[in-house]
Amino acid sequence: MEPTKGSSMALTLGIVGGGQLARMMIAPAVELGVQVRVLAEEPGMAAAIAATAVGDYRDLDTVRAFAQDVDVLTFDHEHVPQEVLRALVADGIRVHPGPDALQFAQDKLAMRERLEQLGMPQPEWAAVTDAGALRDFLDAHGGRAVVKTPRGGYDGKGVRVVADPAEVADWFDGGALLAEELVDFSRELAQQVARRPSGELLAYPVVETVQRGGVCAEVIAPAPHGAARLAEVAAEIGIAIADGLAVTGMLAVELFETTDERLLVNELAMRPHNSGHWSQDGAVTGQFEQHVRAVLDLPLGDTAVRQSWAVMVNILGGPERDTLESRFPAVLAAHPAVKVHTYGKAPRPGRKVGHINAVGDDLDAVVYEARAAAAFFAG
């Protein structure tokens, strides 16, 4: 007998948002026998193959209508308003991650306050409502600070390093801003954790991320040159946050490794994340399959790395003169061991249009393969 709605095995997964994260959930969901439906913001988005509806995710009636015939609702992004999420939960719709968790991915000030309550290591921070308060914070922290808009920023947007309050004068009309100390870090790391509604939780290996212009450019898994204790502490932080916030699905914790060898929490994402794309081909269970398993409350998959190293290199911008697809024959012939993932997006400067994964036992060789393959899509 087929499972029915409300049973432990959900038949239909609804994804709000039609971007590349939704696109990459589709194949593993199909492999698990799960139907996928997508509410896309507009026609022709990355996840168009499963887009059964197009509409505004901020409109309750639109999302409510979409959610009526799905077993579990999840997300390609964290921007669905709290009032919409809570109305869906009140309707009896299973929403994962739920609004109580998502609020801390939607509002960076709320996140900082809650992480402080949980005793998580963080940069020094303050909510600043005017130029005077920001000046006081700057004076107390060496004259420079990172200022963020609490809501809506990503890939470097909504983030400025400032030495004078005038540099964010245009932001104060939107309410309180988040001011953070300018952390002296040696590198950036990311810790991913998967958690089911019933409480099962697994951590992935901590990874090193390389940012360029505020955008993730490369990821190395596991993070090289780190003591065993580093991996243990990163996993402990990720697990404590996933449990403390009752996250369901994938959680990515972006971390700073400081020059004095501490780990500080930078930001959170409650969905599959760019820092986990390596796992599609480098881990026993990729993050997209794991997210589907987790939100459906299915047993989680092994998170171990398949070979010694996995490297992800983002394809940023894409070719200027032709299409991504036109470059496939050359890259596949030159680098038959890499995996190419593209997002169905038109090339545009700085835009994430795909990524390359490479795995192996020699880190230098794996990095070379991934970078060289990605280079075929430039220019």
Side-chain angles (χ1 to χ4, degrees):
M1 178 182 294
E2 287 189 342
T4 57
K5 187 176 178 72
S7 71
S8 61
M9 175 59 185
L11 292 174
T12 305
L13 178 65
I15 305 172
V16 177
Q20 65 258 29
L21 302 182
R23 177 190 181 100
M24 288 183 278
M25 289 184 217
I26 296 168
V30 170
E31 290 171 353
L32 289 170
V34 175
Q35 296 181 47
V36 177
R37 296 180 181 173
V38 172
L39 173 61
E41 293 88 336
E42 56 189 46
M45 293 188 69
I49 190 172
T52 56
V54 175
D56 187 351
Y57 61 80
R58 297 165 297 186
D59 179 70
L60 174 58
D61 290 340
T62 298
V63 183
R64 179 178 272 153
F66 172 73
Q68 288 309 301
D69 56 357
V70 306
D71 294 280
V72 171
L73 196 70
T74 192
F75 309 96
D76 171 83
H77 55 71
E78 294 114 336
H79 306 314
V80 180
Q82 279 285 310
E83 56 269 24
V84 172
L85 296 171
R86 295 188 184 278
L88 296 173
V89 171
D91 288 346
I93 294 165
R94 288 190 284 174
V95 177
H96 294 299
D100 288 344
L102 272 171
Q103 64 181 318
F104 301 113
Q106 294 175 330
D107 187 319
K108 295 180 178 65
L109 281 171
M111 176 197 75
R112 288 289 178 220
E113 291 170 0
R114 182 65 180 128
L115 293 182
E116 189 170 281
Q117 293 168 0
L118 293 173
M120 294 295 99
Q122 305 187 83
E124 293 187 20
W125 66 278
V128 294
T129 56
D130 55 37
L134 179 53
R135 170 52 64 194
D136 290 343
F137 188 88
L138 289 166
D139 291 344
H141 293 87
R144 298 180 74 212
V146 178
V147 179
K148 300 177 179 179
T149 55
R151 304 179 70 89
Y154 67 96
D155 284 348
K157 299 177 178 67
V159 179
R160 293 177 188 170
V161 178
V162 306
D164 190 302
E167 295 175 73
V168 289
D170 56 319
W171 282 358
F172 278 118
D173 290 343
L177 302 176
L178 173 61
E180 298 177 348
E181 68 169 305
L182 193 59
V183 175
D184 186 14
F185 63 89
S186 56
R187 60 177 173 170
E188 294 185 67
L189 304 173
Q191 176 65 60
Q192 283 197 303
V193 174
R195 183 177 180 275
R196 294 167 60 186
S198 56
E200 184 192 6
L201 190 151
L202 285 177
Y204 281 80
V206 66
V207 303
E208 179 175 345
T209 66
V210 178
Q211 316 292 319
R212 297 196 182 105
V215 178
C216 180
E218 298 181 2
V219 175
I220 302 173
H225 316 304
R229 183 59 182 153
L230 172 79
E232 292 173 5
V233 171
E236 288 168 2
I237 290 171
I239 288 168
I241 293 173
D243 270 339
L245 303 185
V247 176
T248 48
M250 290 298 304
L251 167 71
V253 182
E254 298 181 44
L255 299 160
F256 294 126
E257 182 181 9
T258 67
T259 53
D260 58 356
E261 299 183 336
R262 294 176 297 138
L263 291 181
L264 301 177
V265 177
N266 179 19
E267 296 192 358
L268 306 178
M270 296 180 191
R271 50 175 168 76
H273 189 255
N274 202 168
S275 64
H277 289 355
W278 67 272
S279 66
Q280 287 175 288
D281 307 296
V284 175
T285 309
Q287 66 164 345
F288 297 99
E289 177 184 343
Q290 197 78 287
H291 186 76
V292 172
R293 288 189 186 211
V295 300
L296 297 179
D297 208 12
L298 296 171
L300 300 179
D302 192 337
T303 58
V305 179
R306 286 186 177 275
Q307 292 186 249
S308 299
W309 302 101
V311 173
M312 188 280 310
V313 174
N314 270 328
I315 302 171
L316 298 174
E320 298 174 3
R321 298 182 301 277
D322 47 29
T323 66
L324 288 167
E325 292 75 18
S326 69
R327 306 293 177 94
F328 275 25
V331 68
L332 298 179
H335 300 280
V338 306
K339 298 295 184 180
V340 182
H341 300 269
T342 56
Y343 305 157
K345 292 182 171 182
R348 189 174 70 201
R351 189 182 204 186
K352 292 177 184 175
V353 294
H355 64 271
I356 303 291
N357 283 336
V359 299
D361 293 322
D362 182 292
L363 179 56
D364 289 341
V366 176
V367 170
Y368 167 77
E369 284 289 316
R371 289 177 178 172
F376 275 79
F377 295 98

